[in-house]
Amino acid sequence: MSNLVIIDDASSQIKYTGGLWTGGGTSLHYGHTATSSRVSGATMTFPFSGTSISVVGSFDANTSCTGSFSLDANLTTFVSPVLPAPLNHQSIWSSAPLTDGPHTLAYTVSSCSSSNTDLGYVWFDYILYTPSPNASTDGLVYFLDDNDPRISYSGDWTVEKDNAEDFGLGSHGGTQGCSFQLEFEGSSVSVHGRIGNDTQGIATQASFSLDSTPVVFSTPYQSTISYNQALFQSNVLAQGKHTLVGTPQSGTLWVDYLILRPNPSTDNVTTTSPRHSSANIGEIAGAVLGALLLVVGITFVVIFRRRLFKGRSATTPSRPLMRPPDIYVFDGREAVSSSASSHTPGQTENTYPPTLPSHNIRSAPRHPSDTPPVSPQSSSFTSPADSRTELISDTQISPSRPANSFASSSGHSRRAPSLNLGRGVDSDSVVDLKRRQQLAPPYDDSGSIGPSSRAPSRSSSVRPLPVIPTVATPRIGVSGSSHTFDDLDLPPVYTV
């Protein structure tokens, strides 16, 4: 026998357009919901694939509504009956047998009127259709009415028909000693019926056994009848065949309909319990392992980079800012006058830089007189015609006098200038003085150098010697000298 798929009115597969649709429903309706509209032009549309379809719903009392059903452009006029009392589970419209394939059912409201003070409707409760044999069963729900031939009854069962409160307008009632049985394949099964239909004051109690595992249903006695009640609901079932057996134990067990959920993508009423195959487990394990490896890799990179930069900062010395060495140039006149007043006889000046007033010290480029010239008595003496300035070492200094040297800012060892004028024997002091004057720029009290006082061009091989002033005091210790000097009248001496 073919299965019937049940679609609730609230399903997203049904589209309501074109007007105001009202939601309602009671415990007598499937899913306890129902939908209706009185607005002209309101349309309900449902696409499906199968061989038959029907619409089940309810009629309000003293209400008449008209409309049209269209199935694949085949139009059918609909007129609801005018009833003195409401009726439920009524077949509003059914199709003739259809060719297997996709179809579209649509209903459009034309008009709706009621003689009651309250508005009356035609309610859509659910749709039943026969699916295509090869259609996918994913998400489908099968409806089995109590009179479905796949349900077998044993014992003395009461069959009730034409009851508007029962699905399919009927139900089966059995007492102790009766049973029913259903063999099926599916993922779940549930039994629905009514309770409280006993007049002897006996509570209803029944046993439901699924694959030989019994479950007891029991409810207190009630004088009123409750319809559309869930009596049994199974858990998710494993794939394969199953057997459901229901047995009344006390009172009357009323069976109205059963709901089956098939296994996905099967044609029969089957079921499977959620299981993970070994392939799925392997994929999950691989994904988890890959994620862990990624986290470990990122952690390793972060730690490595931190240690790398930490090692660099610990081992790499800080580089000082590079700047040219300080070169001090001071006023020669003040240097000579100050040194002459405090100079000790027989002692050379070894302090560098000399202690001078702050206004006499200024930063300037290195001067050619930074390196003292070589004494003419030395074997490495260079003629004044040679404009180059030669460096001398400690070994070139005459052993007859001390090698007065100091460390300059450039790091070279240089001979300190001799200032033993008139107080000691220094046969080359005059020559040294002349040599320094020859290399030093001319001094101008005005702070400017005029054209007439410019130093000779570098292209000149010999520079003119400045005039050495003479005084009445002869130089002590130099015999045969025709020149006399006074320390206070000496030209400025430039040193570093």
Side-chain angles (χ1 to χ4, degrees):
M1 182 178 179
S2 299
N3 296 305
L4 285 177
V5 177
I6 185 170
I7 302 295
D8 188 36
D9 65 288
S11 172
S12 60
Q13 301 179 52
I14 302 176
K15 306 298 181 184
Y16 299 95
T17 59
L20 178 64
W21 287 88
T22 302
T26 66
S27 61
L28 299 177
H29 296 95
Y30 178 67
H32 299 178
T33 61
T35 303
S36 181
S37 178
R38 295 169 54 91
V39 179
S40 177
T43 302
M44 178 271 294
T45 305
F46 173 69
F48 69 100
S49 180
T51 57
S52 68
I53 189 170
S54 61
V55 178
V56 180
S58 303
F59 298 116
D60 284 343
N62 302 314
T63 299
S64 176
C65 294
T66 61
S68 61
F69 283 93
S70 63
L71 181 63
D72 301 333
N74 296 321
L75 192 64
T76 302
T77 302
F78 165 76
V79 178
S80 67
V82 179
L83 303 173
L87 290 177
N88 300 303
H89 303 292
Q90 302 296 307
S91 178
I92 297 176
W93 182 87
S94 295
S95 71
L98 304 173
T99 58
D100 187 16
H103 305 278
T104 300
L105 173 67
Y107 170 76
T108 303
V109 178
S110 297
S111 63
C112 199
S113 60
S114 175
S115 59
N116 295 337
T117 55
D118 296 332
L119 297 178
Y121 294 88
V122 173
W123 298 93
F124 294 136
D125 188 3
Y126 55 91
I127 294 176
L128 295 174
Y129 75 94
T130 303
S132 300
N134 298 325
S136 173
T137 59
D138 295 347
L140 299 183
V141 177
Y142 291 157
F143 173 83
L144 278 70
D145 195 30
D146 65 290
N147 56 8
D148 191 293
R150 288 172 289 185
I151 303 175
S152 61
Y153 298 94
S154 62
D156 189 12
W157 286 84
T158 300
V159 179
E160 188 171 336
K161 298 182 179 179
D162 299 327
N163 183 9
E165 278 69 33
D166 289 328
F167 282 68
L169 304 178
S171 61
H172 278 68
T175 58
Q176 189 175 8
C178 298
S179 65
F180 75 91
Q181 179 175 310
L182 171 67
E183 293 184 356
F184 66 98
E185 292 185 19
S187 61
S188 67
V189 62
S190 60
V191 180
H192 303 262
R194 55 182 175 175
I195 58 176
N197 198 30
D198 293 311
T199 58
Q200 295 85 4
I202 303 175
T204 301
Q205 183 173 315
S207 173
F208 295 92
S209 175
L210 181 61
D211 299 334
S212 302
T213 302
V215 176
V216 175
F217 168 80
S218 179
T219 182
Y221 170 78
Q222 60 184 52
S223 57
T224 59
I225 301 175
S226 297
Y227 295 91
N228 193 24
Q229 300 298 307
L231 308 178
F232 171 78
Q233 173 67 58
S234 72
N235 295 324
V236 178
L237 305 175
Q239 188 173 7
K241 292 184 178 181
H242 304 277
T243 300
L244 174 65
V245 177
T247 303
Q249 294 179 343
S250 65
T252 302
L253 174 63
W254 291 94
V255 179
D256 188 1
Y257 65 94
L258 281 74
I259 295 294
L260 299 177
R261 294 183 181 274
N263 294 321
S265 301
T266 59
D267 299 330
N268 301 322
V269 181
T270 59
T271 186
T272 61
S273 61
R275 297 182 299 175
H276 296 292
S277 64
S278 59
N280 292 336
I281 294 176
E283 293 177 359
I284 295 174
V288 172
L289 180 60
L292 290 177
L293 291 177
L294 179 60
V295 172
V296 172
I298 294 175
T299 305
F300 175 78
V301 171
V302 172
I303 294 175
F304 177 77
R305 287 177 61 86
R306 287 183 177 178
R307 290 185 176 180
L308 178 61
F309 285 109
K310 183 178 181 181
R312 287 183 177 179
S313 61
T315 58
T316 304
S318 59
R319 298 181 60 185
L321 295 177
M322 299 301 295
R323 62 182 182 87
D326 294 332
I327 300 176
Y328 297 93
V329 179
F330 58 92
D331 192 330
R333 294 180 301 172
E334 295 187 8
V336 172
S337 60
S338 61
S339 62
S341 60
S342 61
H343 187 69
T344 302
Q347 199 175 32
T348 57
E349 184 67 37
N350 290 325
T351 303
Y352 176 81
T355 304
L356 298 175
S358 59
H359 67 278
N360 291 326
I361 300 176
R362 61 186 184 277
S363 176
R366 186 178 301 275
H367 196 271
S369 63
D370 185 23
T371 302
V374 182
S375 171
Q377 297 178 357
S378 174
S379 59
S380 59
F381 175 76
T382 303
S383 172
D386 189 351
S387 61
R388 295 176 299 170
T389 302
E390 298 293 340
L391 296 178
I392 63 174
S393 64
D394 292 343
T395 58
Q396 293 174 311
I397 301 175
S398 175
S400 61
R401 53 190 175 85
N404 299 323
S405 302
F406 62 94
S408 69
S409 60
S410 61
H412 298 290
S413 178
R414 295 169 183 171
R415 190 180 64 176
S418 176
L419 297 179
N420 294 330
L421 300 180
R423 297 179 178 84
V425 179
D426 191 353
S427 60
D428 62 345
S429 297
V430 177
V431 178
D432 290 344
L433 178 60
K434 292 181 179 181
R435 185 65 174 174
R436 293 189 184 94
Q437 290 175 347
Q438 179 182 353
L439 296 176
Y443 183 79
D444 187 359
D445 288 338
S446 63
S448 62
I449 300 176
S452 61
S453 60
R454 292 183 182 272
S457 173
R458 290 183 178 270
S459 61
S460 175
S461 59
V462 179
R463 298 182 182 179
L465 294 176
V467 177
I468 305 300
T470 61
V471 293
T473 305
R475 182 175 180 183
I476 302 173
V478 180
S479 61
S481 175
S482 61
H483 299 280
T484 57
F485 303 91
D486 190 341
D487 290 345
L488 300 178
D489 297 327
L490 293 176
V493 177
Y494 291 85
T495 184
V496 177

